[in-house]
Amino acid sequence: MNVLLTGGLGYIGSHTAVVLSHLGNQITLYDNLSNSTEIVAKNIEKICGQKINFVKGDVRNTETLKHVLTSFKIDSVIHFAGSKSVAESVKEPIEYYDNNVQSTISLLCAMRLAQVKSLVFSSSATVYGDPLYLPFDEQHPTNPISPYGRSKLHIEEMLADVAASDSEWCIACLRYFNPVGAHDSGLIGENPKGIPSNLMPYIAQVASGLREVLNVFGNDYPTRDGTGVRDYVHVMDIADGHAAALTYLRKHPSWQSINLGTGQGYSVLEIIDAFEVASGKSIPFRVVPRRAGDIAEFYSSTIIAQRELKWKASRDLINMCASTWKFQTQLTKS
Ligand code: NAD
Ligand code: UFG
């Protein structure tokens, strides 16, 4: 199959590119490099042992996208490109609606022009908002609390309307929980620009000596040790989930939202402990006040993913930490 990955040089896109390439798909990566570099394309090629198509471009450029879709004879698109910081979205909502919602409209226009109607979209568990019950299943009401989360929900709703209007469209919205970890090679992983806002890359930078101490945002939550609990899922499992979604869409036209998580929550202190074991380094931390907008605890129901996609996360927390550490040490060396 010929698959276009928008945002294909980013964290999740690059790992998915490796999985799809190993499965024999012809992949084309489309990225404006706003949060990535071309070195990632070279490292994907090293891992896959073959040349990868990379086109530098912005998803909001409908004409270029249409040209790419037709000239590479694309069968399916996976739409990773977008902006993903909750805090930044509160400060810059217009940019977020532009780069998430507007860019998806551009992509849909290009796909319609090129007659490509199979799409997997990167959604997020953040569409659920505060839990009314746990685990979050796909029926849980959606009530996102940030512009970022609302942009994801608006896109999901838009995609449902598109699928309802034309039975040839096949669309899967994958609601990721907390993707972490890296490819076993240590060549690709999460390399945020500036100060990491997410827990795992921050811990990795503390372990490598780039940062002095981890701030733990609150230890007075109603959780087993007072710190926030999340469903961390290995990025290679997430990548496998996309391959499963593409297979699923070939047999199931229409629209579907599906969680990608492990079903198991870990607290911040449990992640610190696991990282210390995996890296052999100590992680100094201090407890600071809660971060605005954080939820105490959430994790995923995995029933729909297992039933529909035949997908289940298989990599454990130690693997998530060890692969992050391998990537971090190679990054620090280079
Ligand atoms: P990332 O920032 O590493 O990757 C996104 C890529 O898209 C980057 O390479 C960036 O340069 C590119 N890009 C951004 N805007 C673009 C545009 N207009 N045109 C072309 N390219 C553009 O992010 P990621 O962690 O790989 O996330 C991928 C997707 O998954 C995002 O849509 C994100 O919202 C979603 N998601 C991520 C997480 C997470 O924790 N990483 C959780 C839930 C959902
Ligand atoms: N945390 C700290 N210190 C830090 C960073 C995080 O204590 O320096 C804590 C948070 O308070 C939270 C947990 O670690 O309890 C996880 O925080 P992250 O920032 O790593 O992840 P979030 O659950 O806040 O959000 C992530 C992505 C969102 C996505 C969401 C669900 O950043 O984009 O997962 O998929 F929507």
Side-chain angles (χ1 to χ4, degrees):
M1 204 179 344
N2 295 332
V3 188
L4 178 74
L5 281 63
T6 74
L9 295 193
Y11 174 46
I12 303 173
S14 56
H15 291 79
T16 304
V18 168
V19 165
L20 292 180
S21 173
H22 277 144
L23 290 172
N25 298 284
Q26 192 63 48
I27 54 167
T28 300
L29 311 181
Y30 185 87
D31 201 300
N32 67 1
L33 303 181
S34 57
N35 199 32
S36 53
T37 63
E38 278 190 62
I39 297 164
V40 178
K42 294 278 156 253
N43 286 336
I44 295 171
E45 286 179 348
K46 266 192 210 161
I47 296 169
C48 298
Q50 63 179 56
K51 231 171 137 37
I52 299 295
N53 302 321
F54 166 59
V55 178
K56 184 178 174 195
D58 196 295
V59 182
R60 289 162 292 191
N61 188 334
T62 311
E63 270 311 306
T64 312
L65 257 185
K66 188 211 151 199
H67 177 71
V68 169
L69 288 166
T70 47
S71 53
F72 289 96
K73 298 188 170 47
I74 298 298
D75 304 299
S76 288
V77 177
I78 308 184
H79 183 33
F80 296 103
S83 306
K84 63 168 181 176
S85 158
V86 171
E88 196 177 59
S89 78
V90 175
K91 290 192 206 115
E92 298 172 4
I94 299 172
E95 282 74 10
Y96 268 67
Y97 287 114
D98 180 38
N99 204 35
N100 289 353
V101 181
Q102 185 56 41
S103 74
T104 307
I105 294 173
S106 169
L107 172 65
L108 291 169
C109 292
M111 289 177 73
R112 187 174 55 183
L113 287 168
Q115 288 292 300
V116 178
K117 294 185 176 177
S118 165
L119 174 66
V120 177
F121 169 62
S122 294
S123 189
S124 167
T126 201
V127 298
Y128 294 118
D130 276 316
L132 302 178
Y133 58 84
L134 286 172
F136 277 137
D137 58 31
E138 289 79 353
Q139 300 306 314
H140 187 286
T142 45
N143 188 20
I145 54 177
S146 70
Y148 166 69
R150 278 189 283 277
S151 75
K152 291 289 178 189
L153 185 58
H154 292 336
I155 296 167
E156 283 203 12
E157 290 168 345
M158 207 164 71
L159 296 178
D161 287 341
V162 169
S165 72
D166 174 352
S167 60
E168 286 180 10
W169 279 91
C170 331
I171 302 176
C173 300
L174 301 181
R175 294 175 174 168
Y176 316 148
F177 279 66
N178 288 56
V180 295
H183 187 262
D184 279 346
S185 64
L187 285 170
I188 53 172
E190 186 170 19
N191 184 17
K193 289 186 174 166
I195 302 170
S197 56
N198 293 116
L199 180 66
M200 193 66 101
Y202 204 109
I203 289 182
Q205 293 195 4
V206 173
S208 70
L210 286 174
R211 301 197 183 274
E212 260 176 37
V213 61
L214 169 75
N215 292 318
V216 173
F217 298 137
N219 66 352
D220 55 354
Y221 284 106
T223 59
R224 50 187 173 268
D225 61 20
T227 66
V229 169
R230 296 288 181 276
D231 183 341
Y232 298 93
V233 50
H234 199 296
V235 68
M236 290 303 291
D237 279 326
I238 293 274
D240 290 340
H242 289 79
L246 287 178
T247 306
Y248 174 80
L249 287 183
R250 270 189 265 164
K251 293 183 217 133
H252 300 86
S254 82
W255 176 95
Q256 177 111 17
S257 272
I258 303 179
N259 288 341
L260 292 187
T262 65
Q264 156 104 49
Y266 288 104
S267 74
V268 175
L269 298 183
E270 287 164 347
I271 298 294
I272 296 172
D273 285 348
F275 206 96
E276 288 188 332
V277 170
S279 65
K281 300 281 178 185
S282 85
I283 316 287
F285 71 88
R286 64 177 169 223
V287 177
V288 298
R290 292 178 178 191
R291 182 171 67 177
D294 268 354
I295 290 168
E297 174 164 18
F298 63 84
Y299 47 91
S300 162
S301 161
T302 60
I303 292 170
I304 301 287
Q306 287 188 56
R307 193 184 68 207
E308 301 296 325
L309 303 184
K310 317 285 179 235
W311 173 90
K312 192 173 186 299
S314 63
R315 293 154 177 98
D316 64 12
L317 182 59
I318 287 296
N319 186 337
M320 297 180 212
C321 296
S323 58
T324 304
W325 180 234
K326 184 169 183 185
F327 175 67
Q328 182 65 45
T329 45
Q330 294 197 192
L331 205 59
T332 317
K333 268 191 256 153
S334 63

